[in-house]
Amino acid sequence: MTLPPPVVVLAPNSYKGSVSATAAAMAMAEGLARVWPDGERRICPMADGGEGTLDAVLSRGGRRGSARVSGASGAPLDAAFGLIEDDETAVVESAQVVGLTDASGTAVAAEQRSTRGLGELIRNLLDAGIRNFMIGLGGSSTNDAGAGMLAALGLKLVDAKGRDVQPTPLGLRTLAHVDAGTLDLRLPEVQITIMSDVTNPLCGERGATTIFGPQKGVAADRIAKVDAALARFAALAERAIGRSAKDRPGAGAAGGLGFALQLLGGELRSGAEVVADLLELDEVLDGAHWLITGEGRTDRQTLLGKAPIVAARHAAARGVPATLVSGSIDRLALPELGSHFASCHALAFGPATLEECVANAPAMLADTVEQLARLYQARVVE
Amino acid sequence: MTLPPPVVVLAPNSYKGSVSATAAAMAMAEGLARVWPDGERRICPMADGGEGTLDAVLSRGGRRGSARVSGASGAPLDAAFGLIEDDETAVVESAQVVGLTDASGTAVAAEQRSTRGLGELIRNLLDAGIRNFMIGLGGSSTNDAGAGMLAALGLKLVDAKGRDVQPTPLGLRTLAHVDAGTLDLRLPEVQITIMSDVTNPLCGERGATTIFGPQKGVAADRIAKVDAALARFAALAERAIGRSAKDRPGAGAAGGLGFALQLLGGELRSGAEVVADLLELDEVLDGAHWLITGEGRTDRQTLLGKAPIVAARHAAARGVPATLVSGSIDRLALPELGSHFASCHALAFGPATLEECVANAPAMLADTVEQLARLYQARVVE
C-alpha cells in the first residue's frame, strides 16, 4: 500500500551565520521535491524577534520600507522596517538600527552607544500614521536602558545644572532630572508588542549590564558603575512617566530597551510566538502531515522557547509530528528534545568542520531532508 | 492509527577502526529498544571476507579454534579459525595469519613475508578431517602469490642448482623449478570457497604488486622485479599443477593468495554474499519490516558489493526497505546509493572530528538509530 505524499510544512529558523530561514526552507523544499515531486510543501520561515524577523514576517505579505536614522554611534544608517495588516502595523527589528553586527555602530565604546535611532524610526512611523508596533529585540549593541529611544521621542534628560545629557551609559552618569512633559503626544495612542525571549530585569546581578554587558564590550570593572547609572535613570524615568517597568521580566532585554518599551506600555511576548501568529502558522498547519523545523545549533537553550520549539508546539496542538533538522545538536539534550520533536537530525554526513557545514548548509539541508523523506516514505504499511 | 512495532533486522558491517559489526548491531538495537521496548530486533552482524568475518559467521553458531602457525615474518602466532556446519567446514580469515595489522609480521620487509602460515593452518585442519574451507582474503601484508601457502602444502620450489628457495617475493627471484608431486595428497578432496571482492589478476599493471604492493611496503622501484618474479612462479606452478589461474578475476587478491587458492580449485565469491548465505540472511529477513545496515565510510567503493549493499540487495528481494547508517557518507554518491537504500544517514550530530566520531560511535549509533526509528514511527497513517 502506497500512501499519497504528505503535506509538509517547512518552518525553520535561520541557521545563524549560514543561511536565512527562507533559504533554509527553500533548501528543505528542494530535498522533499526529489522524493515527492507532486507533494504539497508549505514554506513558513520562522524567527524569534531577532535578526531575520522582518524577512520571516514579510514572507507572508506586507511591504518593506526604510528610514534614515542614527545608528548606535550616531552615524546615519538606513534601517529597514515592515508594514503589514494594510499598513496599520509596523514591524521593527531593533538590530536593524543598533545591531551588534553593524561595524559603524560598534566603532565607538559600548558606553557611548545609544538607541536614539530607534526613537527616530518610531517617530517617523508615527508621522506616517502608524500606531501599532511589533518591535523585535535581540542582537543589539547598546546598553542604555532605552534612554536614547525615549529621548528621541521627547523625554528630557538634564544634569544638575539643567544641561542636556547624552542618552548613553556615560551620559546618564550625570543625569539629575527627567521630564516626561515633552514626550511625543501620540504615544498614548500607541500599541507596542515587544518580541523577546529574554526575561532578565533591567538591573542587578541578573540585569542587562551584568549578564549581557560583557559581550557588548562593557569592561568588567565598569559593570557596577553602568548598572548604577541605568538604575538611577530608570527610577527617574519611572517617576516622570508614572509607570514602573524596571523589575518586569524582559526589562533587561536588548540592553534595557525592554525596560523603555514596557515603560511606554509595551507588552512583552515570546518573539517566536508573535511570529507564529503573524505567519498564521496554525492555518498553515491545517491538513498538514509533517512539520520540519531547524536552526543552526540546538541545545538546552532551544527548550526555553526558541522558534523550533514554538513551531513544534503549534504542530503538536494539531497532531502534526515535528522533525528537527539542525546544523548541530547537543546529544545530551536529545531526551528533553524528544518530548517536543518526533525526531532530531543533524546536517553532517560525516566528520566535518563547522566551516564546511556552514559553507555547504543549503546542499546538506536538501540532502538530509531528502533522506528523511525517503525514510518517512519507506515505511511498509500493510 | 498506531501500527505495531516493526520487526527490524540489524545487519551492519564493522565500522573500521571503531566498532565491530556485532557491537554496532548491539548499539543499533539499544536505540531501537528506546522507541519500541517490545519490538522484535534481529541481530545479524555482516562482514565481507576481511577482518571481522570470523566473528560475524560465528555469531550464528559454530565454534572457535586456534592453531599455532607461522606469521608473515616466520614468527609463530596463534591464528583463530571457526568450525561450522557440525565441524565440517572451517572458516579462515587470512588476516588472522598474515594480517597487515600484525606488527610482528610486518617487522620484516614486504619482499621477505610469506603466506606459509596459511598453508600450515590448512594442513592442521586437513589433519582434523576438514575438507570444506571458507577462506576470507583481505587485510593481508603479504605479496607472495600464495607461494608460501602452497610450499607449506607440499609444493616444491627449487633454484637452478636444485636448492630449496624461500617462498617469498625475494626467494622466488631465483626459482627455476616447481614440483607438484609432493603436494598434500588430500588436496583433491578439498572444497575451497574464496571470499573476496577484489577482481584484479595476479600480474601486470592491474596486478597485485602494482595495485596493492605499495600499501604493503613494496618500493616503487621494486614493483617490476617483484611482479616478474610472481609471474614466473605462477607460470611454473600452473604447469606443475596442470591448471591455470593467474589471469582469473581475483587472482590478485591478498597479494596473490587468490591465485594460489584458485590453483587448488578454489571458487571465488563475493565475501559479503558468502557471509549472507552463512548467516542465512534471507531467513532472518523473513517477516521483517525494516533492515538497518552500515559501515565506517560509505562511498562509490561501497557500490562494488560491500556488505551493506549485499544486505540491502537481500532485503530488496524480500520487499524489505534498507536504511544505511554510516560513520561517514560521500554525499556525491547519494543518488547511486538511493537505488539500493531507502535512506542514508550519518552518525554525526554536528561538526565533529573523525576521532570524536570513532570514540563515540556506539553512543552515536544508538542515538541516530533511535531518531530514525522515531521518525519511522511518527508517520501519520490515516
Side-chain angles (χ1 to χ4, degrees), chain A residues 260-285:
Chain A
L261 288 166
Q262 291 190 75
L263 203 56
L264 295 179
E267 186 200 356
L268 188 82
R269 288 188 61 201
S270 148
E273 282 290 359
V274 173
V275 171
D277 283 356
L278 290 175
L279 296 180
E280 298 179 316
L281 180 59
D282 287 335
E283 282 70 41
V284 174
L285 282 162

Side-chain angles (χ1 to χ4, degrees), chain B residues 111-115 143-151 155-160 164-178 202-203 209 225-237 255-256 259:
Chain B
E111 289 182 50
Q112 293 177 275
R113 295 178 206 147
S114 170
T115 55
N143 189 69
D144 70 348
M149 180 191 72
L150 292 172
L155 193 71
K156 201 160 172 62
L157 309 173
V158 296
D159 68 11
D164 284 350
V165 303
Q166 288 296 311
T168 63
L170 205 62
L172 293 176
R173 293 189 56 201
T174 59
L175 180 70
H177 302 285
V178 171
L202 179 62
C203 293
T209 311
K225 280 203 165 67
V226 171
D227 192 55
L230 264 49
R232 198 180 48 233
F233 159 69
L236 291 170
F259 159 74

Side-chain angles (χ1 to χ4, degrees), chain A residues 151-169:
Chain A
L153 289 168
L155 193 72
K156 202 160 171 60
L157 309 173
V158 296
D159 67 11
K161 296 180 176 168
R163 293 174 301 199
D164 285 350
V165 304
Q166 287 296 314
T168 62

